[in-house]
Amino acid sequence: MSVCKKSLIAVAISAFVFAVPCVAQSASFDSDSVNVNVLSSREASSTYADALKAYSRSDWKTSIFLFKKLHTNQADITPESLYMQIMAQTYDGQYKQAVNDCDLFLKEFPNNQYAQLVMYQKGKNLYHIEDYEKSILTLSDFCHSNPKHTLYSSALFWIAESFYATYNFDSAKSLYERIVVEFPDDSKTRDAQFRLDVIAQRSREEKLLYLLKQTGEDYLSSKESYEKTLKQYQIESSVGVNSQLRELRQQNENLDNELANEKKRTAELESQVRGYEADLEKTVRELKQQADEALELLNRQEGM
């Protein structure tokens, strides 16, 4: 490989490593592994080099265009170039296209060193296109095959996010708790803890809403029973009808008193709900502020 090409590739790969720390820890590229000399022609080698250069400056759209141009020739599809195309599509938000290329990679290079990383990226991108069931299955396979992988905790987090998105809060909660307990220093731990706080608050709100619903149903049942009885007595003509009507009126007064009490209880419960909502908003603001402070601290540390 020429010195010029080798230097260009080294710059591109260096940018990739710093742009994706978690991936870099798991599979580091080197200039010798990205060999443009294996391509079919000088034009293909030039296209590959230009794609790497665009990638190195985070010009995802240009990088994707050039990689696709390179890959029009089946012989010029290499594991490295296809993997970098997948990552460029992921950064550019082209999640569906990235999933398709992940399938192509896993079909063509199932035993390649980047195959497990591609499986992880596929699972995460499936989450982004809201195909939550497939995301859970794919990332579960990744975790089963790679229990010691540096992306294991991140895979657990995205599985939990898929459960959360489908309102399976019990399953999501158990995974979030596992991340917090088993990976306290992981980058996803703070997000997992935030989700746990939200789930806990949601549980409290659901209990209050259940009490409100039960209160309303009890009142409606009593009112319906009274109206039915009253109608029955209205069509009867007997000696004791007036006395019975007086009793029914008394029952009605009692029901009205009970209704007033129920309304008072309902107002108190609604006040509690508003209080919990205010607490939730405060908690969210505090957690967001903590996250912003942590991010600012991280940025300062990286800038040092």
Side-chain angles (χ1 to χ4, degrees):
M1 181 184 302
S2 68
V3 175
C4 180
K5 288 180 179 177
K6 193 168 184 178
S7 298
L8 178 59
I9 295 167
V11 170
I13 300 309
S14 176
F16 172 78
V17 169
F18 286 106
V20 197
C22 61
V23 174
Q25 294 172 5
S26 304
S28 59
F29 285 92
D30 56 57
S31 58
D32 292 329
S33 69
V34 184
N35 186 359
V36 297
N37 289 335
V38 302
L39 302 181
S40 62
S41 66
R42 180 175 298 178
E43 180 183 357
S45 297
S46 177
T47 300
Y48 200 170
D50 289 341
L52 292 172
K53 185 176 180 181
Y55 193 106
S56 70
R57 62 174 184 267
S58 300
D59 185 355
W60 309 125
K61 293 188 185 302
T62 300
S63 177
I64 293 168
F65 171 79
L66 291 171
F67 278 125
K68 287 184 175 181
K69 179 181 177 182
L70 174 70
H71 295 155
T72 55
N73 186 349
Q74 183 75 20
D76 290 329
I77 299 177
T78 68
E80 291 79 10
S81 64
L82 185 55
Y83 180 60
M84 294 182 77
Q85 178 175 307
I86 291 169
M87 294 308 301
Q89 289 170 330
T90 300
Y91 294 141
D92 197 47
Q94 299 182 28
Y95 303 121
K96 188 172 183 178
Q97 295 89 329
V99 169
N100 292 335
D101 283 338
C102 285
D103 289 334
L104 175 61
F105 188 105
L106 295 172
K107 177 183 177 182
E108 297 295 331
F109 311 108
N111 300 317
N112 184 266
Q113 60 178 325
Y114 306 122
Q116 295 304 317
L117 292 175
V118 170
M119 182 184 293
Y120 168 82
Q121 293 298 334
K122 177 184 177 181
K124 190 172 72 169
N125 285 324
L126 283 167
Y127 167 83
H128 286 305
I129 62 175
E130 300 181 4
D131 195 342
Y132 302 119
E133 182 177 351
K134 288 184 179 179
S135 177
I136 292 170
L137 292 174
T138 301
L139 290 172
S140 296
D141 287 343
F142 171 85
C143 290
H144 179 74
S145 302
N146 303 275
K148 302 298 183 180
H149 203 285
T150 55
L151 292 176
Y152 184 87
S153 57
S154 293
L156 288 180
F157 178 81
W158 291 111
I159 295 172
E161 287 287 273
S162 291
F163 280 128
Y164 185 90
T166 53
Y167 304 98
N168 189 344
F169 299 119
D170 290 338
S171 296
K173 180 182 177 183
S174 65
L175 289 175
Y176 290 134
E177 289 174 339
R178 184 177 172 188
I179 293 169
V180 171
V181 173
E182 297 182 17
F183 307 95
D185 299 324
D186 189 81
S187 60
K188 295 297 185 183
T189 300
R190 184 181 295 274
D191 293 333
Q193 183 60 60
F194 173 77
R195 287 297 199 200
L196 287 173
D197 294 338
V198 172
I199 291 173
Q201 182 63 32
R202 185 184 185 90
S203 177
R204 289 192 290 269
E205 290 178 355
E206 287 180 347
K207 289 179 181 178
L208 286 173
L209 291 174
Y210 174 78
L211 290 174
L212 288 171
K213 181 181 178 182
Q214 287 298 110
T215 299
E217 289 178 350
D218 290 344
Y219 164 71
L220 290 175
S221 177
S222 298
K223 190 71 174 177
E224 181 181 356
S225 177
Y226 161 73
E227 290 174 349
K228 182 178 180 180
T229 303
L230 180 60
K231 184 176 181 179
Q232 179 181 350
Y233 277 97
Q234 284 176 341
I235 63 176
E236 290 181 355
S237 177
S238 61
V239 177
V241 69
N242 291 330
S243 175
Q244 292 172 345
L245 286 174
R246 283 194 297 272
E247 292 177 359
L248 288 172
R249 291 192 187 98
Q250 183 62 48
Q251 291 179 16
N252 190 30
E253 290 178 3
N254 293 338
L255 285 171
D256 287 338
N257 291 334
E258 291 177 7
L259 175 60
N261 292 333
E262 293 295 343
K263 286 182 177 179
K264 182 178 179 181
R265 288 176 56 195
T266 300
E268 292 174 350
L269 289 171
E270 290 175 341
S271 176
Q272 292 181 32
V273 170
R274 289 192 294 271
Y276 281 123
E277 289 176 342
D279 291 342
L280 176 59
E281 292 178 356
K282 180 179 178 182
T283 301
V284 169
R285 286 196 302 271
E286 290 175 350
L287 290 171
K288 186 177 184 300
Q289 182 179 358
Q290 293 175 8
D292 290 341
E293 290 174 355
L295 180 58
E296 182 180 353
L297 176 59
L298 178 60
N299 290 334
R300 286 202 303 268
Q301 290 176 347
E302 290 180 348
M304 293 179 62

